[in-house]
Amino acid sequence: LSVPTVLSRMGVLEGFWHHEYWLPPGATWEDLKDSADTHYPQPQHLLLCIPGALLLIFVRCIFERAVALPLGKALGVSDKRRPKVETNATLEGFYILLGRAPKKEELVSLAKQSDLPVRKVETWFRHRQAQDHPRLMKKFCEASWRFTFYFTSFFSGLALLYDKPWFWDHTVCWLKFPQQPLSPTLGWFYLLELSFYCSLVATLRFDVKRKDFKEQIIHHIATITLIFVSYCANMLRLGTIVMLVHDASDYILELAKILHYLKWKRVCDAVFSVFAVVFIISRLVIFPLIVYYYFVTKIPLFPISCLINAFLMVLLLLHIFWSYVIIQMIFNVILRGEKRQDARSDTEESEMSEAEDLAKSK
């Protein structure tokens, strides 16, 4: 029995799982009841994303230590030496509790409390900030893991979908909807993507923090929500197409980051230019004009379809924001040769009083 049927019989969350919310008019949960030779998506399957996310985090740790770290060292990735910071309880307490960049009057007060010159207090805070900046090897390992996953995910999804008629003709996505049997490979692909994004959320606190951290949170919430509700409502055909469109550019970006950390500038610029073209075509052309259009025009309105519509629009707005950043960066950095800096940069390693923002656009 499906979870909605069981919960309805038990009287638990009956309103939440009411078929009129989740399924198009005229369809009920009985239409998605498994039989001996036909299987449909069941919400309880999504619980597998919890062990799936934990497994991916474990695999990532092994990958970064056993593969990415030795590879980075072999290719010449090295962390800059950082100045040591003298132990000072007063300054450390201010740094942790009140801020990393004290104002002028606060510097004077801290200098008096610590019995140190103001200039030395300023130097202490610069060195202390440098300690917290992510190391180059850490960023290389993270980019290598994401490149490996996105590359595998995209080409696995492409191999899974290329012979499906609904991949080429999106109107077929809604043929006999929602009574579309679930193929095991499609279900596992869906759960893999959900597990990956859950793992990203779980490790956000420990990963390199980028300037678009808030946009990242919005993106992950929207993605996880879309995967969850589309699975429960048996919209896997649309969902896998949306995933593939998004994965098309992600692995190219991660490759550009890797090349950037290796300081292979010309190759990096070329790969980033390819990424920009693929990103704009996939996110601003294919996604809104083909995928989103067929969703809005072909499926009847019901509560979950409206929710999916809203979150797809959130993703589209994020695409527009990131496309603007990418175009701005290409114009300023590659065409005009200015110093690399953009709104999605993470802070590179500081050396004394300088901190550079190097390009890491989405």
Side-chain angles (χ1 to χ4, degrees), residues 163-230:
D163 61 344
K164 303 294 188 297
W166 44 268
F167 177 66
W168 304 102
D169 182 2
H170 296 343
T171 58
V172 183
C173 280
W174 311 115
L175 188 63
K176 297 181 180 180
F177 173 77
Q179 291 180 290
Q180 297 172 342
L182 172 68
S183 67
T185 52
L186 197 62
W188 283 113
F189 179 76
Y190 228 77
L191 289 172
L192 177 64
E193 290 278 343
L194 179 59
S195 299
F196 178 70
Y197 281 102
C198 288
S199 72
L200 288 183
V201 171
T203 58
L204 268 177
R205 182 181 177 185
F206 310 100
D207 292 342
V208 174
K209 187 175 182 179
R210 296 191 301 223
K211 289 184 178 179
D212 67 337
F213 183 76
K214 293 180 180 178
E215 288 81 4
Q216 273 187 295
I217 295 293
I218 295 172
H219 176 270
H220 294 341
I221 291 174
T223 301
I224 291 172
T225 301
L226 284 169
I227 294 175
F228 176 85
V229 298
S230 62

Side-chain angles (χ1 to χ4, degrees), residues 85-347:
V85 178
E86 296 179 4
T87 303
N88 189 305
T90 301
L91 301 183
E92 183 70 23
F94 184 97
Y95 182 88
I96 295 175
L97 299 176
L98 300 177
R100 297 167 40 157
K103 298 177 182 178
K104 187 174 182 179
E105 57 272 16
E106 292 173 332
L107 285 172
V108 173
S109 175
L110 289 169
K112 291 180 179 179
Q113 295 177 43
S114 305
D115 195 25
L116 294 171
V118 174
R119 189 171 185 82
K120 193 165 185 179
V121 174
E122 289 178 323
T123 302
W124 188 94
F125 273 92
R126 284 201 305 269
H127 292 175
R128 183 65 179 82
Q129 289 176 28
Q131 280 192 341
D132 285 347
H133 290 150
R135 294 186 177 274
L136 193 63
M137 183 61 79
K138 175 178 173 60
K139 292 187 286 186
F140 177 86
C141 291
E142 286 188 11
S144 298
W145 163 247
R146 289 193 296 267
F147 167 78
T148 302
F149 181 87
Y150 286 133
F151 183 88
T152 304
S153 173
F154 174 70
F155 285 100
S156 297
L158 197 62
L160 178 64
L161 300 184
Y162 85 96
D163 61 344
K164 303 294 188 297
W166 44 268
F167 177 66
W168 304 102
D169 182 2
H170 296 343
T171 58
V172 183
C173 280
W174 311 115
L175 188 63
K176 297 181 180 180
F177 173 77
Q179 291 180 290
Q180 297 172 342
L182 172 68
S183 67
T185 52
L186 197 62
W188 283 113
F189 179 76
Y190 228 77
L191 289 172
L192 177 64
E193 290 278 343
L194 179 59
S195 299
F196 178 70
Y197 281 102
C198 288
S199 72
L200 288 183
V201 171
T203 58
L204 268 177
R205 182 181 177 185
F206 310 100
D207 292 342
V208 174
K209 187 175 182 179
R210 296 191 301 223
K211 289 184 178 179
D212 67 337
F213 183 76
K214 293 180 180 178
E215 288 81 4
Q216 273 187 295
I217 295 293
I218 295 172
H219 176 270
H220 294 341
I221 291 174
T223 301
I224 291 172
T225 301
L226 284 169
I227 294 175
F228 176 85
V229 298
S230 62
Y231 189 91
C232 294
N234 200 17
M235 296 186 190
L236 273 71
R237 293 183 179 183
L238 170 75
T240 48
I241 293 174
V242 172
M243 291 177 191
L244 198 65
V245 168
H246 284 73
D247 287 347
S249 59
D250 286 339
Y251 73 93
I252 306 176
L253 169 65
E254 300 304 330
L255 177 59
K257 292 179 184 180
I258 292 171
L259 295 171
H260 170 68
Y261 301 143
L262 294 174
K263 296 181 173 57
W264 297 358
K265 184 180 182 303
R266 291 185 179 181
V267 184
C268 174
D269 287 346
V271 171
F272 186 83
S273 298
V274 173
F275 156 73
V277 172
V278 174
F279 183 94
I280 292 171
I281 291 176
S282 62
R283 308 288 182 97
L284 295 187
V285 179
I286 296 177
F287 177 71
L289 301 183
I290 299 178
V291 179
Y292 184 70
Y293 170 79
Y294 276 103
F295 174 77
V296 173
T297 59
K298 300 301 179 182
I299 191 170
L301 290 178
F302 55 99
I304 285 301
S305 72
C306 294
L307 179 66
I308 292 176
N309 188 2
F311 277 98
L312 289 176
M313 182 58 66
V314 169
L315 290 182
L316 180 57
L317 292 175
L318 288 172
H319 299 166
I320 295 172
F321 166 73
W322 281 322
S323 296
Y324 168 77
V325 172
I326 291 168
I327 293 171
Q328 185 182 50
M329 178 192 159
I330 288 178
F331 179 77
N332 291 336
V333 177
I334 297 180
L335 298 183
R336 295 174 56 183
E338 293 181 3
K339 181 180 176 180
R340 294 170 174 263
Q341 183 174 5
D342 69 32
R344 292 211 71 199
S345 300
D346 54 29
T347 305

